[in-house]
Amino acid sequence: MRKRILTIYLFTISCFGLSPVIGQTDKLIDKDVSIFYPAHYNAKENQPSFALLKEPKPMGNVPKNWKIKPDFYSKDGKTIVALPIAKGTDLYGTGENVGSLVRNGKKVTLWNTDNFRYLADKGKRLYQSHPWVLGVNKDGTAFGVIADNTWKQDIDLSDSIRFISDGPAFRVIVIQRNSPQEVIKELTKLIGRMEMPPLWSLGYQQCRFSYVPDTRIKSLADTFRLKKLPCDVIWMDIDYMERFKIFTFDKKNIPDPKGVNDYLHAKGFHSIWMIDPGVKVEKGYSVYESGSKGDHWVQTADHKEFNGKVWPGECAFPDFTRPETRTWWSGLYKDFMATGIDGVWNDMNEPSVFDGPNGSMPIDNWHRGGGNLPADVHLRYHDVYGMLMVKASREGILKANPDKRPFILSRSGYLGSNRYAATWTGDNTGNTDNMKLSIPMVLNLGLSGQAFSGPDLGGFALNTSADLFGQWIAMGTFFPFMRGHAAKGENNKEPWAFGTEIENVSRTALNRRYRLLPYFYTLFNEASKNGMPVMRPVFFADPKDTTLRKEQQTFLVGNDLLIIPKWAVNPIQPKGIWRIISIAGENSTTDKYQADVKLKGGAIIPLGNIIQNTTQFNLDSLTLMVSLDSNGKATGTMYEDAGDGFQYQHGAYLLSTFTAKQAGQKVEVKIAAKGGNLKPTGRKYKIIVVTDKGTVETGWTTDTKVSVKLPE
Ligand code: MIG
C-alpha cells in the first residue's frame, strides 16, 4: 500500500512537476542514479531544476544495497542534507574553490560573489555555485551528489557531506559508479554538456582592462603579428563603452567599432566585447528606455524598480527569470553583433552591486518569473542570475549569427551553466600562490561539469614580475581557456612586456599550444559528447592509486599528456610509461620555464603546424607522435571539422583513429577513418616514435600505413 502511494506521489511530481510530497521517498532515475526526496518537499519551491536538463523520471526502486543515502533534517532554521562518507574517501568538486584540490574538511558558501583577489571570506564564496560533490572511494569506485536547489547554501565537508540551505527542503541526486570518470559522464548527462566551441576560442587570447582607444587595439594586434607570437582573440573591456553604458560605444575611443573589428579580422583575429547586466538609469538611453517600457527590471521587496550602483552609476537590473525579459535581452545583441563582434564577455553577473549588501542585491528583492518559473525572492534566484543571463545572451548571439558557434565568457555560474558559457576564475592576483592555485581551481571546475575554464594568465591584480609571467604562460598554455589579462593601473602583461627572454619563452609556449590544437580540439569534442574535462587531475590516470589523489602541482591534458610545470616540487607521478616529448623544438629538461610534457606509453597524439592564428589552421600535414606501451602498442584518435558553424551536426566531420604496433625493430602505424563524412585529400603524415633511447622520425608521406624502423 505504502509503495503504491509513493508511486502516485512520484507520478504526480513527474507529470505536473508542482505537487508537494509528504514523507521521504526515493527512486532510481537512471542506472546507478537515485533521487531522494525529503519530507515536506514542495516542488514549487525548488522546481523546475536549474541544474538538471530535464525533470528526472522514476524508473524503479532504489536497490537495497545502495550505499550513499542522505539524511534530511532541519536545524536553526536551515534545511540540511547529510551524507556519511566512509574513511579513505576523497572529495572533489564544489565548483570554483580557493585552496586544495581535495575538498575534505572544507566549507564553502554557494552565494555568487564579486570577490576581488579572493579576499572576502578568505575566498570561501566566489563567483560561482556548484551544489555538487564528487567522492572517490578508497578502492577507486566513486559517487557524486547534486543538491538540487538554487537557494543560498553552504557545503560543509568537515566530517561528512552536508548541504546546509537557507531555503526550503530540497531533493538530492546520488550517482554511484565504478570510477570518477564514469561519475562525471553521468553528471554531465544530467546537467548537460557544452556545445562544440569555435576553434578560434582555443587559441591564445589577449585582454586588459582596457585596451582603448582604437589605435591601441590596432597596434596591439600588429605587435602580435610582427613578433610572431600566435594569438587569436583581442578583448574589449568596459572602457570601450560610452560612460559604461552597455550596448554603446564611446565616440572618442571607439568612433568606428566595425572598423576595429574589420581591422582585427583582416589580421586573423577575433574580437570579444564586454556586456554587463547593470543598465544605467538615464532618460533617453535606449536600453534603459526599452527595458523600462517592457517592465524588465528586478524589483525591491515592495515591488518597485530596484536600483543599485555599478560602473555606470545608478543602474537597473534585468529580471532574467522573466521569459519576456530574456527575449528582450536577446534582441539587444542583433545590432551589437552586426558590428562584426565575434564573442561576448558577460561580467559582473553575480550580480555585483557596489552599494548593495555583500556587494549584491538585497535577498528580499523580487523576481517575477514566468513560464514554469515561480515568482520568488532574490535569495532563491541569486545564484542562477548569471546563468539565466548567459542563457539569454547565447540565444541572442545565435539569432544574430545563426551560422556561427556562439562564444560567451561568464564570470558567474551555477551547476549546468557549462551549457551556455565558458568561464574564468575571476579577479586573481599576480603572485606565485595564485598561479599555483589556478591548477586545482580549474581542475575542480572540470570535476563539476565546467570543462572550459582558465585563470587570468599572469594574474589580474598587482604587478607581475617577468619570472612569474614566464612560469605562468609556460604552464597556462596547457589550460582549456587561455587568456592573458591585467587590471587597470597594473603593469603591461603582454608576452613582450617583460623583455626578450620572456618574449621568447612565451613564443615557445604558444607554439606548443598551437601545435597541440588538433589534440585539444579532439578533447573539446569529447567534452561536448561525454562531459569529460579537458584538463584532468593526475589521479584520473589511475583512480585506484590513492597516492595520486592529492596531486595538484601537475595535471593531465586528456588522458595522454602529463604536464609538469618547472616549479613543481616532487610531484607524485602516475605509474607506467610516461615519456618526455618536445613539441615545438624546445628541450624542457634544460629549459628554465617550459613545462615537461610527458606522453603516456600506449598513446598517439596528433600535432599540427606552427601557425599564427587559427584562420591558418589546416591539417594538410599532420604529425603523429607515438609512445609505445610495454606490449609495443599505441592508439590515438583525432576529431576534426570546419572549426565553426553547425555542419558537423550533419556529418561534416572526421574522426580518425591511429594505431601502432611493434614487430621486431619495426613499428607499423595505421591511420583509418572511423566516423563522419569528411575525407582529407592528399594529407601528408610524419610519424615520430618516442622511445627511451630517443626519437625516430619519418619523412612526409601520404600513405596511411607507415612503417618506422627503430634503431638497434
Ligand atoms: O569591477 O570590466 O573580473 O576581468 O577587467 C571590475 C573590468 C569589473 C571585473 C572583471 C575583470 C574586468 C573588470 N571587471
Side-chain angles (χ1 to χ4, degrees), residues 306-433:
F306 168 76
N307 289 153
K309 281 204 172 55
V310 210
W311 286 101
E314 208 64 355
C315 282
F317 296 83
D319 182 356
F320 294 110
T321 64
R322 301 178 72 238
E324 308 86 323
T325 302
R326 293 200 298 275
T327 305
W328 163 75
W329 179 260
S330 298
L332 297 172
Y333 281 99
K334 189 164 178 268
D335 295 343
F336 187 63
M337 301 306 288
T339 62
I341 288 170
D342 299 292
V344 170
W345 180 12
N346 284 161
D347 186 26
M348 307 294 278
N349 53 355
E350 294 71 29
S352 175
V353 183
F354 293 160
D355 57 348
N358 277 312
S360 192
M361 288 182 186
I363 54 173
D364 58 357
N365 263 8
W366 191 245
H367 294 271
R368 281 165 288 159
N372 55 358
L373 216 56
D376 217 325
V377 289
H378 189 63
L379 189 72
R380 173 177 181 171
Y381 288 123
H382 174 86
D383 282 345
V384 290
Y385 187 84
M387 184 188 198
L388 284 166
M389 177 192 185
V390 294
K391 179 178 195 269
S393 294
R394 189 179 181 90
E395 278 161 16
I397 293 163
L398 194 58
K399 222 170 172 187
N401 294 325
D403 300 324
K404 291 182 184 162
R405 301 177 196 170
F407 178 85
I408 301 159
L409 188 76
S410 179
R411 192 170 69 178
S412 99
Y414 176 81
L415 188 61
S417 30
N418 59 310
R419 305 197 285 268
Y420 313 114
T423 197
W424 91 106
T425 56
D427 296 342
N428 64 357
T429 302
N431 61 31
T432 310
D433 182 53

Side-chain angles (χ1 to χ4, degrees), residues 31 217 242 404 577 666:
K31 189 182 156 285
I217 300 169
E242 183 200 319
K404 291 182 184 162
I577 301 170
K666 271 187 183 167

Side-chain angles (χ1 to χ4, degrees), residues 22-297:
I22 313 140
Q24 186 169 327
T25 62
D26 50 42
K27 276 289 168 204
L28 202 67
I29 55 166
D30 199 354
K31 189 182 156 285
D32 303 325
V33 185
S34 295
I35 191 160
F36 297 86
Y37 288 89
H40 313 299
Y41 179 75
N42 182 342
K44 217 178 159 172
E45 294 168 328
N46 283 302
Q47 284 175 230
S49 171
F50 276 80
L52 304 179
L53 266 186
K54 51 177 196 255
E55 183 51 25
K57 288 212 171 64
M59 55 175 257
N61 293 323
V62 175
K64 286 236 162 52
N65 59 358
W66 190 270
K67 284 199 207 104
I68 314 286
K69 284 187 190 153
D71 244 336
F72 297 91
Y73 58 98
S74 54
K75 204 180 154 197
D76 307 329
K78 310 253 183 188
T79 337
I80 303 172
V81 175
L83 303 101
I85 52 165
K87 240 185 133 190
T89 307
D90 292 307
L91 303 175
Y92 304 90
T94 71
E96 190 183 42
N97 305 302
V98 170
S100 57
L101 175 67
V102 174
R103 303 311 296 161
N104 296 57
K106 308 282 182 195
K107 268 190 202 169
V108 290
T109 298
L110 304 187
W111 187 251
N112 294 351
T113 302
D114 178 355
N115 199 339
F116 181 65
R117 300 189 58 201
Y118 313 149
L119 297 176
D121 259 5
K122 296 196 175 120
K124 282 181 185 145
R125 57 188 160 96
L126 291 181
Y127 306 86
Q128 316 215 354
S129 294
H130 292 77
W132 159 254
V133 177
L134 166 70
V136 185
N137 300 314
K138 207 169 171 191
D139 63 0
T141 61
F143 65 93
V145 187
I146 299 173
D148 188 22
N149 81 96
T150 62
W151 297 82
K152 183 180 187 197
Q153 62 194 300
D154 291 340
I155 306 180
D156 182 350
L157 304 175
S158 40
D159 48 14
S160 57
I161 298 173
R162 275 190 305 155
F163 297 94
I164 305 160
S165 169
D166 286 7
F170 56 94
R171 57 189 184 176
V172 298
I173 291 146
V174 181
I175 305 167
Q176 292 187 167
R177 284 287 152 91
N178 284 330
S179 70
Q181 287 92 330
E182 290 304 314
V183 173
I184 297 300
K185 284 180 194 167
E186 181 63 38
L187 166 71
T188 56
K189 182 179 167 189
L190 294 169
I191 67 169
R193 292 153 183 154
M194 74 164 150
E195 304 234 358
M196 268 313 274
L199 176 65
W200 57 261
S201 65
L202 274 55
Y204 177 66
Q205 323 204 11
Q206 188 64 53
C207 190
R208 109 158 262 133
F209 176 15
S210 306
Y211 290 121
V212 281
D214 53 355
T215 47
R216 189 170 174 205
I217 300 169
K218 290 176 185 172
S219 80
L220 176 78
D222 293 346
T223 310
F224 273 103
R225 297 301 179 243
L226 194 72
K227 291 184 174 290
K228 290 218 172 315
L229 288 156
C231 182
D232 262 88
V233 190
I234 306 283
W235 289 63
M236 268 50 73
D237 206 325
I238 43 173
D239 294 287
Y240 81 79
M241 300 174 200
E242 183 200 319
R243 289 179 293 127
F244 306 123
K245 282 150 62 183
I246 54 171
F247 297 105
T248 71
F249 299 93
D250 182 75
K251 288 194 188 63
K252 211 176 103 234
N253 279 328
I254 314 282
D256 177 16
K258 179 152 189 311
V260 171
N261 288 324
D262 288 347
Y263 188 91
L264 293 176
H265 292 157
K267 303 219 159 189
F269 289 95
H270 286 77
S271 72
I272 297 185
W273 300 64
M274 176 175 273
I275 292 290
D276 290 343
V279 176
K280 185 174 176 58
V281 176
E282 186 180 275
K283 247 192 142 185
Y285 166 38
S286 69
V287 181
Y288 182 66
E289 297 265 325
S290 69
S292 300
K293 204 169 150 217
D295 199 12
H296 292 310
W297 312 126

